[in-house]
Amino acid sequence: MNIPFRYRKLGYVALSVSDIEKSTRFYTEIVGLDLSQTSEDGPVFLRCGSDHHNLVLYPSRAPGLRRVAFELESATDLTAARKYLADLGLTPEDVSVEECSALKQGETIRFIEPNSGLTFELYTRIMQMAIPFQRQVAQIIRLGHTVISVQRYDDTVAFLTQKLGFAVSDFVDGAFAFLRAYPNPLHHTFAVGRSSGGNHLHHVNFMVNDIDDIGRATNRLTKNGTKIVFGPGRHMPSGSIFLYFLDPDGMTLEYSFGM
């Protein structure tokens, strides 16, 4: 792959939610994220580490995945990415100084992946929080990955791997491609699934520190009336223990242990 920029990690996921107050309570009290910042009309910033945010919630009448953001290694990488994406015929847009300030990020660009329609964001730095992540509800260690379901599965996987520098870690033959943001070493930070019903979010994953976190989460979610849709179980590709459940808008989230 001759990609002139390098990823550092999956930075954050932005979701549109129908009831910002209800979703904020859910993601803090049930999922276990820390609240970093709120604003009068949204968005709400939440985190599971030292970064200012790993999840951003925007109020909207149409819930769903808004964008996925990756941190690059340096400002030089971002400059190279901007030119490279334009040379591909995409239209990378610079995020305004005002929005970058609100996001507590450095220089940031966005572009649309042409096969899935998903908005990707690339940035180079983000505010680090002085107070450590509290882990009061769950022992979350990081935002693990995001998975999308797309109709143009083969084209999307080809573009991500051949043009955007993602490396394939594994497949569920004909159904899912597990991708890592090279040179990030984790088995996958992004994945693409085949869809016959439009493009949409498949799930957002949070990795936990101990297998007991999966058991405790099962009890906590059941007690609070949160719908569990799959698990606990073990993924064959990565070997991780998983639990899938729904947020207030029916978007799927996952806890996993081990990779």
Side-chain angles (χ1 to χ4, degrees):
M1 293 180 295
N2 187 24
I3 309 298
F5 60 92
R6 289 164 60 94
Y7 297 96
R8 185 185 301 279
K9 64 181 181 181
L10 171 63
Y12 75 90
V13 177
L15 301 177
S16 296
V17 298
S18 61
D19 187 328
I20 193 76
E21 293 182 359
K22 183 176 183 180
S23 290
T24 299
R25 289 195 301 271
F26 177 83
Y27 280 96
T28 53
E29 298 174 8
I30 305 301
V31 178
L33 304 182
D34 284 355
L35 178 64
S36 294
Q37 186 177 339
T38 61
S39 57
E40 185 174 346
D41 300 317
V44 170
F45 297 92
L46 303 131
R47 66 184 176 110
C48 54
S50 61
D51 288 357
H52 178 263
H53 54 273
N54 303 108
L55 183 71
V56 183
L57 305 179
Y58 290 84
S60 174
R61 294 181 180 178
L65 179 60
R66 193 178 184 102
R67 63 181 181 271
V68 178
F70 289 87
E71 183 176 355
L72 301 186
E73 290 189 344
S74 70
T76 301
D77 287 291
L78 189 68
T79 299
R82 182 188 290 106
K83 181 181 185 303
Y84 172 77
L85 294 168
D87 289 344
L88 287 179
L90 304 179
T91 55
E93 296 184 357
D94 290 306
V95 176
S96 70
V97 172
E98 292 76 15
E99 187 176 1
C100 287
S101 177
L103 289 167
K104 311 301 182 187
Q105 293 174 190
E107 192 176 4
T108 302
I109 62 174
R110 291 182 188 141
F111 65 96
I112 295 175
E113 195 284 318
N115 302 288
S116 63
L118 177 63
T119 297
F120 278 80
E121 178 176 289
L122 305 177
Y123 66 94
T124 57
R125 64 185 186 278
I126 189 169
M127 175 188 285
Q128 298 298 293
M129 304 295 282
I131 300 174
F133 172 53
Q134 297 301 295
R135 295 190 173 92
Q136 297 184 68
V137 177
Q139 297 296 309
I140 299 171
I141 56 175
R142 68 172 63 90
L143 172 66
H145 56 260
T146 305
V147 182
I148 59 173
S149 294
V150 299
Q151 290 186 292
R152 297 179 61 182
Y153 169 81
D154 294 320
D155 291 337
T156 302
V157 173
F159 194 87
L160 291 170
T161 54
Q162 296 172 19
K163 303 298 184 182
L164 295 185
F166 286 82
V168 177
S169 297
D170 213 334
F171 284 102
V172 174
D173 191 31
F176 285 95
F178 300 93
L179 310 172
R180 61 189 184 276
Y182 183 84
N184 191 295
L186 292 177
H187 180 272
H188 60 282
T189 50
F190 194 67
V192 179
R194 188 183 298 276
S195 171
S196 59
N199 302 332
H200 55 85
L201 173 69
H202 190 279
H203 71 270
V204 176
N205 166 274
F206 298 97
M207 297 177 67
V208 295
N209 191 51
D210 192 287
I211 194 170
D212 289 342
D213 284 309
I214 302 296
R216 284 191 289 266
T218 302
N219 293 333
R220 181 174 68 258
L221 296 170
T222 301
K223 180 179 178 181
N224 285 277
T226 300
K227 185 175 181 179
I228 295 173
V229 292
F230 191 25
R234 182 186 292 276
H235 284 306
M236 294 306 294
S238 65
S240 60
I241 306 299
F242 65 81
L243 180 68
Y244 291 87
F245 55 99
L246 301 183
D247 85 344
D249 285 302
M251 290 183 281
T252 303
L253 307 177
E254 180 194 18
Y255 285 134
S256 68
F257 165 71
M259 181 173 285

